[in-house]
Amino acid sequence: MKKQLFFLIALNLIFIANLFAQEVYEPGYFIDNEGKKSDVLIQNLDWKNNPKEFSFKANPASGSEKKEISQVAEFGIGSTFKFVRATVQLDQSSNLDSFLSASRNPEFETETLFLKVLVEGKATLFQYEAKNLIRFFYTLDGSDIKPLVYKRYQTPQGIAENKLYINELNTKLNISDFNEADLEKIRYQTKYLRDYFKTFNNANSSEQLVFEPNKNQKHFHLYARAGTIFSSFSVEKVSPNQVLYPFENPLGFHAGVQLEYVLPYRHKSWALLFEVNYQKTTSNGIKNPETQNLDFKAMEFPLGVRYYFLNRTWGRLYANSAFVITRNLDSSIQVDNFNIELTKNHRFLNFGLGFSANRFQIEYRRDVPRNLDYFYPNWKAMINNNYLMVGFRLF
């Protein structure tokens, strides 16, 4: 049942994401195979992996069109990004430990790709990224684009590295202030290579254009959150005679902190969540309020995912879902003269819809209904929690 609910919630979130997917078209350009430049509106998908095609509009009122890699030599949006088509030698070697080859030589295949420009100047740095694959290329003074080779490979003594790119930097892109030890510190990563190419162009008094993400954007956010729990609760004795003990709708308190990690792709639309929350819910029986009561206290540890499906200057709407682990804290249910100790920790799912603006957020959340009691087979204690929460972003 829990698996079915999980897949149902996941499908609903995917449906919402597709329904409200942000089609961001920004002023850009493309150059066709004849060298003609067209100023258009390009759909910015904030690609993680290098694209093979892109969508554009001739103007805001026109319909969307597509261009494939065979039709376009170059496309870009200002200083946000630029892709150029190139036929290059692409090393297909796996970087996963379990699939490393025994050869230190790159496994080249000729591919025609859209390469992402990271630094453009006397020396230009390109990047290609696909699933489990990242490669860098360069050109100097407009020469042919060449690969910067780095490969991990398996030997009888363990994993070794072919750092041929270091030799390429030293011989073709040498900076006088860099010695051998300095070069060895340059990792085969975007940040290190971008910084090296920027330094090389500056040392050669070359004008350059750097395509670099906004360094001021923060990916981690911490929220302090509190709210009210609106619940429905009932206790049922299922044998030997079925008896239902209705309770007043409980009103509870909920407070905690939420850590959000915003994934740096797709316009920061997806985020991972981790929370630590405390909740307390109390209620009295309707028929016998003096002898029927609920006293439920717990710590919650939700781990989930959030999707921002509407992004405007005035705020953002989002949906999220989480898997929750709880730890009960001296909770109990009293029904007439029978006391049920709630010592079982629970695992369940929740989902919510919210709105955030500036440093504030408000969210409605709902837990999947669950039985609080597992140790007493003749009893059922069903609770259904709904939350209304407000939050403030600390950073």
Side-chain angles (χ1 to χ4, degrees):
M1 183 63 180
K2 288 183 178 179
K3 289 184 178 180
Q4 292 175 342
L5 287 170
F6 173 79
F7 286 119
L8 179 61
I9 293 171
L11 287 174
N12 284 334
L13 287 177
I14 292 172
F15 173 77
I16 291 172
N18 289 331
L19 185 64
F20 292 95
Q22 301 172 51
E23 292 191 351
V24 180
Y25 285 85
E26 300 180 19
Y29 73 95
F30 68 83
I31 298 175
D32 63 20
N33 293 333
E34 284 71 44
K36 179 183 176 183
K37 181 178 180 180
S38 299
D39 293 321
V40 296
L41 299 172
I42 292 180
Q43 186 180 14
N44 185 357
L45 295 179
D46 198 19
W47 295 273
K48 179 182 185 297
N49 296 332
N50 291 38
K52 297 180 180 179
E53 61 181 20
F54 64 93
S55 298
F56 71 96
K57 292 181 178 181
N59 58 69
S62 65
S64 178
E65 302 178 57
K66 281 189 177 181
K67 289 289 185 180
E68 297 181 351
I69 191 170
S70 61
Q71 301 171 293
V72 174
E74 177 184 315
F75 74 99
I77 294 179
S79 60
T80 303
F81 69 80
K82 177 179 178 179
F83 288 94
V84 298
R85 185 184 67 195
T87 300
V88 294
Q89 294 294 303
L90 180 67
D91 180 16
Q92 302 283 354
S93 306
S94 175
N95 196 46
L96 300 176
D97 288 356
S98 55
F99 294 99
L100 295 179
S101 72
S103 172
R104 74 183 304 274
N105 297 320
E107 300 169 14
F108 284 133
E109 291 186 12
T110 302
E111 300 272 1
T112 299
L113 310 167
F114 274 136
L115 298 181
K116 184 178 183 179
V117 181
L118 299 180
V119 179
E120 187 174 56
K122 177 181 178 63
T124 298
L125 175 66
F126 306 90
Q127 176 181 298
Y128 176 77
E129 186 170 359
K131 185 178 180 181
N132 298 323
L133 184 72
I134 182 167
R135 299 288 184 259
F136 295 96
F137 301 83
Y138 81 99
T139 180
L140 181 63
D141 293 323
S143 60
D144 291 340
I145 297 176
K146 299 178 181 178
L148 291 170
V149 175
Y150 169 77
K151 180 179 177 177
R152 299 169 70 239
Y153 60 98
Q154 193 71 51
T155 71
Q157 292 74 36
I159 297 175
E161 296 175 302
N162 177 355
K163 295 184 177 182
L164 190 58
Y165 74 98
I166 295 293
N167 181 66
E168 198 79 3
L169 297 180
N170 189 35
T171 58
K172 303 294 179 61
L173 300 164
N174 182 262
I175 302 174
S176 58
D177 292 338
F178 277 66
N179 57 36
E180 186 174 341
D182 294 327
L183 289 170
E184 286 294 330
K185 294 178 182 178
I186 301 172
R187 300 180 184 179
Y188 198 75
Q189 296 175 8
T190 302
K191 178 184 182 304
Y192 289 87
L193 291 172
R194 178 193 281 130
D195 288 347
Y196 186 86
F197 273 70
K198 288 163 58 177
T199 303
F200 175 86
N201 286 329
N202 287 332
N204 286 272
S205 302
S206 169
E207 293 185 1
Q208 61 181 332
L209 181 60
V210 179
F211 298 86
E212 194 169 9
N214 185 355
K215 292 183 178 180
N216 295 323
Q217 291 181 339
K218 296 181 179 179
H219 297 305
F220 281 101
H221 299 140
L222 183 68
Y223 290 89
R225 291 154 58 94
T228 301
I229 307 172
F230 304 90
S231 304
S232 61
F233 177 71
S234 64
V235 176
E236 183 180 3
K237 185 179 182 181
V238 296
S239 66
N241 298 314
Q242 187 174 14
V243 181
L244 181 65
Y245 298 87
F247 279 65
E248 295 176 351
N249 287 340
L251 193 64
F253 171 75
H254 180 276
V257 293
Q258 179 186 84
L259 181 65
E260 176 188 58
Y261 174 67
V262 181
L263 299 177
Y265 305 107
R266 292 287 180 175
H267 302 290
K268 319 299 184 291
S269 295
W270 289 94
L272 302 178
L273 307 174
F274 176 71
E275 300 177 23
V276 178
N277 302 319
Y278 170 81
Q279 69 161 279
K280 177 179 175 62
T281 302
T282 58
S283 179
N284 294 319
I286 295 176
K287 293 181 179 179
N288 300 300
E290 294 182 358
T291 60
Q292 293 176 214
N293 63 75
L294 164 70
D295 182 16
F296 181 72
K297 301 182 290 291
M299 296 296 299
E300 290 184 345
F301 305 95
L303 180 64
V305 62
R306 171 173 291 164
Y307 180 73
Y308 289 95
F309 57 86
L310 190 62
N311 189 0
R312 297 292 184 266
T313 55
W314 40 264
R316 309 177 78 187
L317 294 175
Y318 64 81
N320 46 238
S321 182
F323 176 75
V324 186
I325 299 175
T326 66
R327 182 176 179 82
N328 286 339
L329 304 173
D330 299 324
S331 301
S332 64
I333 304 169
Q334 183 180 357
V335 180
D336 294 337
N337 295 321
F338 190 75
N339 192 64
I340 302 174
E341 296 292 336
L342 302 177
T343 58
K344 177 72 174 179
N345 299 322
H346 298 136
R347 296 175 178 84
F348 57 92
L349 298 169
N350 67 28
F351 60 96
L353 293 171
F355 171 77
S356 65
N358 296 323
R359 302 176 73 91
F360 297 92
Q361 63 177 197
I362 183 169
E363 180 181 327
Y364 163 77
R365 181 176 290 184
R366 181 181 178 88
D367 289 344
V368 172
R370 65 190 189 278
N371 181 12
L372 293 180
D373 166 39
Y374 288 100
F375 287 129
Y376 299 85
N378 295 334
W379 296 84
K380 285 184 178 180
M382 298 300 298
I383 192 167
N384 187 2
N385 285 339
N386 297 272
Y387 305 77
L388 184 62
M389 297 176 288
V390 294
F392 178 77
R393 192 178 77 238
L394 301 176
F395 64 78

